[in-house]
Amino acid sequence: MFNLPESNIHLAASAENKQQAIELAANALEQAGYVESGYLQGMLGREQQTSTFLGNGIAIPHGTLETRGMVKNTGVQIFQFPQGIEWGEGNIAYVVIGIAARSDEHLALLRQLTHVLGDEDTAAKLATLTDVKKFRAILMGEAEELNVTADNISLDVDTSSLLTLIAINAGKLEQQSAVNNQYVSEVISNPALPLTQGLWVTDAAVGNQKNAIAFSRAKQAFNLNNKAVHGVVTVAYANDQINDALTRLLDAKVQQTLLNGDSAQIVAALNGAPVPEAATAPTQTEASAPVAGGSVVGTFTIRNEHGLHARPSAILVNEVKKFGAKINVENLTRGSAPVSAKSLMKIVALGVTQGHRLRFVAEGDDAQAAIEAIGKVIAAGLGEGVSAVPPSEPDTIEVVGQPAPAAAAPSSESAVENPNESVEGIFEVKNEHGLHARPAAILVNEVKKYNANVAVQNLTRESQLVSAKSLMKVVALGVVKGHRLRFVATGEQAQQAIDGIGAAINAGLGE
């Protein structure tokens, strides 16, 4: 979890305008040793580029790429302004979070914050709280009791791999800052515990940061060493307040709900609430929301390496706001509910990473033009370099009710005038036990040394390309001795990255 000392929270602050509020945050960051003198100018410059107002009374001023070199350590300073600060365009900020980030370390913080602050009632409470301990607990998502949400439930996963189900759960928990990289490495490498009737349980002794539970269920049960596998429960254990939830896992009715229930029923069962009757319509994780006739629908793959963190999200929202059409967006990959594409807070809260598929639905006179423009800015990388990883499915634009789709969305190749040339390398894994957690971690650490986008696929298993900087995704490739891996790199150090990867694999990745 991102470290947030109580001394970095300043309640009942006052400022006359946005610039004074940003100056307070910048001075606090400098005094705490997070940044060098002069970072303020970067924060003010960033605000001129795009407003940092997220929504729900929250603003997150931070520096520009040019002032990133002034950051000594990643950190935040948080100011509460109960009277509100005018942040432009009629927006009022009550909580201002000044961010100093080296590299992309702030992305986990943003995911964590939006998970909490996306709720209007929670944001409103933060605007008036006078207890710094309670303020911090709410901001960090440290609820007194476990509350499993539908975001942690993955149903109908098309796999026959126990490791894949575990990796999905670990990724969910890591996205919410419930666990760290140590946890992910250990939970993937440790054997799962069979519970009953195809249900398995996994956890880890290290890296637990807050209580949480994730559950994934295969589309069809399969066998592993003559034992059935249907679903996996992965537990993050921070304190004894999770004990009641663990006890519920042993209840036969709860186990049956995990095996046969829909998302809403599983959430209720894990939280100890009455289990509702099965829904008659598919849940959001199973099907997209219905669309009215005449609407224009665009489905696009996010190509930039770090997904929709604050900066590319702001570029996307600014593009959407150019049009009068009503535009909603949903994250098809995560099965999210549709949200307004004109809300920066809601876009960031979708938790979009590279390769996720977004579905935009526009209604209005300029709906077609809006969807086409959205497709172009996404294909161009939303202000960042596009990935070398080709989308698994083509981008599309269609008008609901018409027999044929409209013109396809532009590809990244057509939207970017000078795409980076890719460098490829194919290597055979030689270590005896393949890419289990330890050698996979060594490989990922090697990849992260280079200023390049690197994707990898398991040619032997004909897998799709995935980010080679994600430990979870590398382990989930299921690589054993003799498998051939194909790496695709783009960027300033693409060739160095491929050479380094090849040398690391040939050396046995620490084994």
Side-chain angles (χ1 to χ4, degrees):
M1 181 181 295
F2 189 88
N3 181 39
L4 178 60
E6 291 180 9
S7 59
N8 288 19
I9 299 173
H10 312 273
L11 302 183
S14 62
E16 294 185 2
N17 52 48
K18 177 170 71 170
Q19 178 159 334
Q20 284 190 9
I22 295 175
E23 288 173 353
L24 283 175
N27 290 336
L29 289 169
E30 183 179 344
Q31 291 173 10
Y34 292 124
V35 300
E36 298 174 356
S37 176
Y39 189 70
L40 168 63
Q41 298 307 313
M43 296 178 77
L44 295 175
R46 175 67 180 82
E47 205 66 40
Q48 291 178 349
Q49 294 174 3
T50 310
S51 173
T52 57
F53 187 81
L54 276 184
N56 288 351
I58 312 296
I60 54 166
H62 52 283
T64 60
L65 289 175
E66 290 73 22
T67 54
R68 182 173 283 181
M70 295 182 176
V71 177
K72 300 177 182 177
N73 297 289
T74 296
V76 299
Q77 291 286 339
I78 300 173
F79 287 81
Q80 177 206 60
F81 298 100
Q83 303 305 314
I85 302 293
E86 169 65 40
W87 214 263
E89 299 182 354
N91 297 315
I92 305 297
Y94 296 95
V95 177
V96 175
I97 304 172
I99 299 177
R102 299 175 62 188
S103 184
D104 294 299
E105 296 165 320
H106 66 301
L107 298 182
L109 171 65
L110 286 178
R111 286 194 295 269
Q112 182 174 318
L113 293 179
T114 54
H115 185 72
V116 176
L117 301 179
D119 177 37
E120 293 181 6
D121 293 337
T122 299
K125 184 183 294 184
L126 289 174
T128 56
L129 263 180
T130 57
D131 187 321
V132 69
K133 291 185 181 294
K134 291 182 179 179
F135 187 101
R136 182 189 180 282
I138 292 174
L139 194 65
M140 299 300 285
E142 296 173 352
E144 294 182 358
E145 297 180 359
L146 173 72
N147 181 33
V148 181
T149 67
D151 285 343
N152 285 28
I153 310 299
S154 305
L155 303 181
D156 294 327
V157 181
D158 190 7
T159 185
S160 58
S161 166
L162 176 62
L163 182 59
T164 297
L165 297 176
I166 296 172
I168 289 171
N169 287 349
K172 296 277 189 181
L173 296 176
E174 187 180 26
Q175 284 178 358
Q176 297 162 19
S177 298
V179 302
N180 62 21
N181 287 334
Q182 283 184 298
Y183 178 101
V184 174
S185 297
E186 182 165 322
V187 81
I188 288 174
S189 60
N190 286 349
L193 173 69
L195 191 61
T196 182
Q197 302 183 72
L199 291 176
W200 296 63
V201 176
T202 59
D203 63 2
V206 297
N208 295 271
Q209 298 182 149
K210 62 183 178 182
N211 294 330
I213 290 178
F215 175 70
S216 58
R217 190 173 70 196
K219 191 172 185 178
Q220 291 184 335
F222 55 92
N223 288 324
L224 177 66
N225 298 328
N226 296 321
K227 293 182 179 179
V229 179
H230 198 180
V232 177
V233 179
T234 302
V235 179
Y237 187 108
N239 54 52
D240 291 342
Q241 293 171 347
I242 199 174
N243 286 349
D244 288 344
L246 297 181
T247 301
R248 284 193 287 272
L249 293 176
L250 303 177
D251 185 282
K253 291 183 179 179
V254 172
Q255 293 172 357
Q256 285 301 313
T257 302
L258 292 174
L259 289 167
N260 303 305
D262 60 24
S263 180
Q265 291 174 319
I266 292 170
V267 166
L270 292 175
N271 286 327
V275 176
E277 294 184 4
T280 56
T283 63
Q284 284 296 329
T285 58
E286 296 167 334
S288 302
V291 179
S295 301
V296 182
V297 179
T299 305
F300 311 113
T301 299
I302 295 299
R303 293 161 168 81
N304 41 313
E305 183 176 6
H306 299 296
L308 294 191
H309 58 92
R311 187 169 57 253
S313 293
I315 292 173
L316 174 60
V317 170
N318 287 339
E319 185 67 28
V320 173
K321 286 182 176 179
K322 293 178 182 178
F323 302 91
K326 175 185 175 183
I327 305 174
N328 287 334
V329 58
E330 58 186 307
N331 187 338
L332 294 177
T333 306
R334 294 186 65 186
S336 71
V339 299
S340 171
K342 296 183 179 181
S343 167
L344 179 59
M345 170 69 81
K346 292 179 179 178
I347 291 291
V348 176
L350 288 174
V352 181
T353 60
Q354 184 189 64
H356 278 194
R357 299 274 290 170
L358 299 187
R359 179 175 182 258
F360 294 82
V361 179
E363 301 176 32
D365 293 340
D366 56 358
Q368 180 79 34
I371 294 297
E372 290 176 355
I374 291 169
K376 288 180 180 178
V377 296
I378 288 176
L382 295 166
E384 299 183 342
V386 296
S387 168
V389 182
S392 58
E393 300 177 61
D395 290 350
T396 61
I397 295 176
E398 62 179 326
V399 180
V400 176
Q402 290 189 356
S411 67
S412 59
E413 289 77 16
S414 62
V416 182
E417 293 181 1
N418 296 306
N420 293 326
E421 293 185 3
S422 62
V423 180
E424 297 190 15
I426 298 175
F427 310 105
E428 181 178 320
V429 173
K430 304 180 184 302
N431 40 315
E432 191 66 31
H433 301 293
L435 293 191
H436 57 91
R438 186 170 59 254
I442 292 174
L443 174 60
V444 170
N445 288 337
E446 179 67 28
V447 174
K448 287 182 177 179
K449 293 178 182 178
Y450 304 99
N451 181 20
N453 293 329
V454 184
V456 58
Q457 68 179 135
N458 187 337
L459 290 177
T460 306
R461 289 192 167 180
E462 299 181 346
S463 73
Q464 294 181 351
L465 281 161
V466 300
S467 171
K469 295 183 179 181
S470 168
L471 176 61
M472 180 183 71
K473 292 178 180 177
V474 169
V475 173
L477 290 173
V479 180
V480 299
K481 181 180 180 181
H483 278 193
R484 298 172 72 245
L485 299 184
R486 171 178 172 253
F487 292 84
V488 181
T490 60
E492 180 181 345
Q493 295 184 301
Q495 186 62 59
Q496 294 96 314
I498 294 297
D499 293 341
I501 291 165
I505 290 176
N506 290 331
L509 296 168
E511 296 187 339

